[in-house]
C-alpha cells in the first residue's frame, strides 16, 4: 500500500459551512489570539524601518492564523492556565511568516493571499533578510520561554521545514519522483510546523507524553491533509479563492500528487507531454488547460482530495485520547475546514 493511501476511518466533511468551524475555534481562544497578535506586532518592530514595513505588508495581506490558533487551542485542550502558549503561538507564526517570505522568493511568486507578494513589492533581497529576522525573533521567544523541550520541538521543526523545501527543489521537474518522496516533501515543508504547533500545547501544560504525541500526530496529519488540498486547488480553484496565481505549481514544474498520479497513469503520448512541460519546462499557451484536462480525465484531483480526507480522518482519530469538550470539537472542526476548502 502506498504511504499516501490509508482507509478512511471517519467522515471529515459535512454540509455545515466550514468557515463556521474556523470561527468557532477563533471565538474559543479570542482573548489569547488578541494577545498573540499584539505580541506579533510588538516583536516585529525594529529601528531598521524596512523590517517592520515589509513584515507589516505580509501581515496586512491577511491570513487565518491557523498555526498559532492550533497552539492556543491545544494548550487550552490540555488545561494550561498560564500565558506561555501566547508567546509560543507568536513564535509559530513568525516561523511560518519567515518561510512564506523565503518561499515566495524561491518560487518567484507574484501573489500571496491575493495581494502582491513582499518580494514583488520590495524585492528579493529584503524579503530574504526580513525572513531571517523573523526566524531570529522566533528563536528569541523560544529562549525566553526557557524550556529546552519546547526549543527542541520548534528548532527541529524549523530545520525540517528547510529540509522539505530543499528536497522539493531536488525533486522539482523530475517525473521519476515517487509518492514516498512527495510525502517527505510535504511532511517537511508543511506538516512539521503543524505538528510542532500542536505538540507544544501539551508540553506547556506539562501533560503526559502520550497526549503530546497524540497532538503531534493530529498536527502532522492535519498538515499533510492541508497541503494535499492546496496541491489540488492549484489546478482547480479560482485565483481569488486560492490567493495566488492558479497554475503556479505547473509553471514551476513542481511534482505534486495530482501530477504524479496523472503521470503514472498516463500512456506514452501523455508522458511525452508531461516530460516536456515539467522536465524541459517547454510550456506553450494552452498547456496548463491540457494538463488540467488530463488530470480530470484520470481523476487525479479527486484522488488527491480523497487522500486528504484519509489524513483528516487520522487527525480526528488522534484526538480520541482527549475528553469531549469545546476545545476538542473546535480542533476537529478545523480538520473539516481544511478539507472543505476543496469544495
Amino acid at each position: 500500500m502506498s504511504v499516501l493511501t490509508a482507509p478512511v476511518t471517519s467522515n471529515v466533511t459535512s454540509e455545515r459551512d466550514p468557515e463556521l468551524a474556523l470561527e468557532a475555534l477563533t471565538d474559543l481562544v479570542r482573548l489569547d489570539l488578541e494577545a498573540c497578535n499584539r505580541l506579533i506586532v510588538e516583536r516585529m518592530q525594529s529601528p531598521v524601518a524596512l523590517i517592520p514595513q515589509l513584515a507589516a505588508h505580509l501581515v496586512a495581506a491577511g491570513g487565518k492564523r491557523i498555526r498559532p490558533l492550533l497552539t492556543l487551542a491545544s494548550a487550552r485542550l490540555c488545561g494550561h492556565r498560564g500565558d506561555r502558549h501566547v508567546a509560543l503561538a507568536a513564535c509559530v507564526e513568525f516561523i511560518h511568516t519567515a518561510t512564506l517570505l523565503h518561499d515566495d522568493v524561491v518560487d518567484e511568486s507574484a501573489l500571496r493571499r491575493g495581494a502582491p507578494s513582499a518580494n514583488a513589492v520590495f524585492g528579493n533581497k529584503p524579503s530574504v533578510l526580513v525572513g531571517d529576522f523573523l526566524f531570529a525573533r522566533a528563536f528569541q521567544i523560544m529562549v525566553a520561554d526557557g524550556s529546552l523541550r519546547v526549543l527542541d520541538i520548534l528548532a527541529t521543526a524549523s530545520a525540517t521545514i528547510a529540509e522539505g523545501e530543499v528536497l522539493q527543489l531536488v525533486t522539482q521537474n523530475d517525473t521519476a519522483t515517487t509518492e514516498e518522496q512527495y510525502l517527505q516533501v510535504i511532511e517537511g515543508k508543511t506538516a512539521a510546523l503543524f505538528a510542532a504547533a500542536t505538540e507544544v500545547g501539551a508540553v506547556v501544560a506539562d501533560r503526559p507524553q502520550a497526549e503530546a504525541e497524540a497532538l503531534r500526530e493530529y498536527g502532522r496529519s492535519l498538515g499533510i491533509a492541508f497541503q494535499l488540498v492546496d496541491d489540488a486547488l492549484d489546478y482547480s480553484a479560482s485565483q481569488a479563492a486560492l490567493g495566488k496565481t492558479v497554475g503556479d505549481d505547473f509553471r514551476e514544474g513542481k511534482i505534486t500528487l495530482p501530477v504524479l498520479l496523472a503521470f503514472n497513469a498516463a500512456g506514452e503520448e501523455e508522458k511525452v507531454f508531461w516530460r516536456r512541460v515539467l522536465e524541459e519546462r517547454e510550456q506553450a499557451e494552452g498547456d496548463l488547460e491540457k494538463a488540467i484536462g488530463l488530470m480530470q480525465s484520470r481523476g487525479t484531483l479527486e484522488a488527491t482530495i480523497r487522500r486528504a480526507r484519509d489524513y483528516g480522518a487520522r487527525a480526528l482519530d488522534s484526538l480520541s485520547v482527549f475528553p469531549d469538550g469545546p476545545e476538542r470539537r473546535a480542533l476537529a472542526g478545523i480538520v473539516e475546514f481544511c478539507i472543505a476548502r476543496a469544495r
Side-chain angles (χ1 to χ4, degrees), residues 126-327:
S127 294
V128 170
L129 294 173
V130 172
D132 292 344
F133 172 84
L134 294 180
F135 266 125
R137 276 288 192 249
F139 277 88
Q140 286 179 323
I141 294 172
M142 293 180 219
V143 171
D145 179 75
S147 167
L148 284 178
R149 188 173 173 198
V150 166
L151 181 60
D152 179 53
I153 291 168
L154 292 172
T156 299
S158 299
T160 303
I161 292 167
E163 288 173 340
E165 294 290 354
V166 173
L167 182 58
Q168 181 169 257
L169 284 178
V170 172
T171 59
Q172 193 163 308
N173 314 118
D174 185 1
T175 56
T177 300
T178 64
E179 289 188 24
E180 287 77 9
Q181 289 173 314
Y182 168 78
L183 179 64
Q184 191 176 349
V185 167
I186 65 174
E187 283 207 74
K189 62 178 280 188
T190 303
L193 189 56
F194 274 78
T198 48
E199 184 179 7
V200 296
V203 172
V204 297
D206 198 25
R207 300 302 300 165
Q209 182 63 24
E211 292 186 13
E213 289 175 358
L215 280 172
R216 179 173 184 81
E217 181 54 34
Y218 163 83
R220 171 186 173 274
S221 296
L222 177 62
I224 293 173
F226 186 93
Q227 188 60 54
L228 284 165
V229 171
D230 261 13
D231 290 348
L233 286 175
D234 195 71
Y235 292 99
S236 59
S238 69
Q239 183 166 306
L242 189 59
K244 63 178 184 178
T245 310
V246 173
D248 271 352
D249 289 350
F250 177 78
R251 282 180 283 272
E252 294 159 17
K254 288 182 179 177
I255 309 298
T256 58
L257 189 63
V259 170
L260 185 59
L261 295 176
F263 181 83
N264 290 340
E268 191 52 42
E269 184 178 340
E270 290 177 18
K271 286 185 176 179
V272 169
F273 166 79
W274 287 117
R275 291 189 183 105
R276 172 175 65 81
V277 297
L278 297 175
E279 293 187 348
E280 300 169 20
R281 298 286 299 280
E282 293 182 4
Q283 298 178 6
E285 186 175 351
D287 280 345
L288 174 59
E289 289 73 19
K290 180 176 180 178
I292 293 173
L294 291 174
M295 285 184 277
Q296 289 174 336
S297 67
R298 298 290 184 180
T300 67
L301 295 173
E302 295 86 349
T304 299
I305 299 304
R306 286 197 298 273
R307 306 282 182 96
R309 292 194 185 101
D310 292 344
Y311 279 98
R314 292 187 187 187
L316 292 178
D317 287 345
S318 297
L319 293 176
S320 63
V321 303
F322 299 97
D324 186 34
E327 293 83 7

Side-chain angles (χ1 to χ4, degrees), residues 13-24 329-330 332-334 336-337 340 343:
T13 59
S14 73
E15 296 304 315
R16 184 171 68 128
D17 183 353
E19 290 291 338
L20 295 177
L22 182 61
E23 290 177 13
R329 290 194 293 271
I334 287 302
E336 176 186 329
F337 166 77
R343 289 179 184 171

